[in-house]
Amino acid sequence: MIWNTMMGTSILSIPWGIKQAGFTTGMCVILLMGLLTLYCCYRVVKSRSMICSLNTTTWEYPDVCRYYFGSFGQWSSLLCSLVSLIGAMIVYWVLMSNFLFNTGKFIFNFIHHINDTDTLLRINNSNPVICPSAGSGGHPDNDSMAFYTNDTEVQQFEKWWSRSRTVPFYLVGLLLPLLNFKSPSFFSKFNILGTVSVIYLIFLVTLKAIQLGFHLEFHWFVPTEFFVPEIRFQFPQLTGVLTLAFFIHNCIITLLKNNKNQENNVRDLCIAYMLVTLTYLYIGVLVFASFPSPPLSKECIEQNFLDNFPSSDILSFVGRIFLLFQIMTVYPLLGYLARVQLLGHLFGDIYPSVFHVLVLNVIIVGAGVVMACFYPNIGGIIRYSGAACGLAFVFIYPSLIYIISLHQEERLTWPKLILHVFIIILGLANLIAQFFM
């Protein structure tokens, strides 16, 4: 259950993050971030048991923060939780726009027998891999079919079916009403789609790697025409993505309450993090290693690696369909959680009125539409929101609470103090680095 909950859209940006960090550095960073976030999550799980004077069996993590830091801890933890939720919803809106656009484009091209890869930088006919970012160098990206401008029908399609100008608005009519439901129980029945989507992505990546083979060269510091160096100073971009990719700290206590054998919580948490880390490594390494260089440069790996496959690719089309339906069912659940946390704290009622709920949902949806139109970079959104919410939930609060509890029990030692202060400094450095990369 923890693996299924943690496996989100961040998985689509892992290959891009490895490209930004360098192949060797990327693998090391994934392993180290997995261990670091696991330890911080372990500290969250143990935080309630360190309060011996009160019965904390029904407490959630914001309650623990309130105990140690007062109302500031409660509201700041709420703010960080909302940042992670709304950040995820914005990423979902960008991805839904992407998947819906490519799905419609696939259907249109199939009906009209159009090959949309003819003018794109790509390799072979049987397993085409494209470089959409090459559009800035004179090649049109896959948001455009300008080479068919003599065809009025295609012109009309381009006018009304644009990734950034029209499709994000079409989703409003479908999803805004769903956000206003009082209960999300209907959508929670589709959680199995998340597992199916991840399993299909693993199958897709495995098959593509078999078809394309591995294309690797090792250059430690100097980039070449087709390959990136093994060590790059942009690696904090990957740490920002991974902070959100490994983020489950705000709900781990709730999830583990359902464990029949509570004594196995730590063991199960470790197994879950191991599975998540292996999944990210598997997807990231295979996509990066099998990306065909030459003729394409590794720099062509997109923030959503599915964008490196044309909309006419059948396997990618099926993957986008799976992910589209999964995200469309998860999106109202995230909206419900945001409503519960914000309106519940402000008004003491998760559904104070239709007006309150509608205003909140319009703001959330509006943020998604704006980002999908003007900044559709899921890697950037994930790393900024991950570093921001992770600063408090992953790095600062678990470490500070542990330090304070040990100090109160007079068990605090210098090694433990230095270790946990260092973790806090890493979180601050992670956030600051995002604005300089």
Side-chain angles (χ1 to χ4, degrees), residues 227-260:
F227 296 92
V228 297
E230 298 302 298
I231 300 174
R232 304 183 79 181
F233 291 109
Q234 294 99 314
F235 72 88
Q237 296 186 4
L238 177 58
T239 63
V241 170
L242 291 172
T243 305
L244 194 61
F246 285 116
F247 183 71
I248 199 165
H249 301 62
N250 61 338
C251 60
I252 187 62
I253 291 177
T254 306
L255 291 176
L256 290 177
K257 281 180 181 178
N258 299 317
N259 199 352
K260 181 180 179 181

Side-chain angles (χ1 to χ4, degrees), residues 399 403 416-426:
S399 298
I403 291 172
K416 290 181 179 179
L417 177 62
I418 292 171
L419 172 63
H420 292 87
V421 169
F422 180 66
I423 290 175
I424 294 173
I425 293 173
L426 285 179

Side-chain angles (χ1 to χ4, degrees), residues 120-121 130-136 139-143 163 300 302 307-309:
L120 291 171
L121 186 58
I130 62 175
C131 185
S133 56
S136 59
H139 299 275
D141 64 23
N142 65 342
D143 191 20
R163 190 200 308 264
C300 287
E302 293 292 306
D307 284 345
N308 286 116
F309 303 109

Side-chain angles (χ1 to χ4, degrees), residues 189-200:
K189 298 175 183 178
F190 295 92
N191 277 348
I192 188 63
L193 284 176
T195 306
V196 173
S197 299
V198 174
I199 292 174
Y200 182 80

Side-chain angles (χ1 to χ4, degrees), residues 135-154:
S136 59
H139 299 275
D141 64 23
N142 65 342
D143 191 20
S144 171
M145 293 188 294
F147 46 95
Y148 295 111
T149 50
N150 291 329
D151 189 336
T152 304
E153 195 169 358
V154 174

Side-chain angles (χ1 to χ4, degrees), residues 78 180 212 314-315 330 366 424:
L78 171 65
N180 296 300
L212 295 168
I314 298 293
L315 291 174
V330 173
I424 294 173

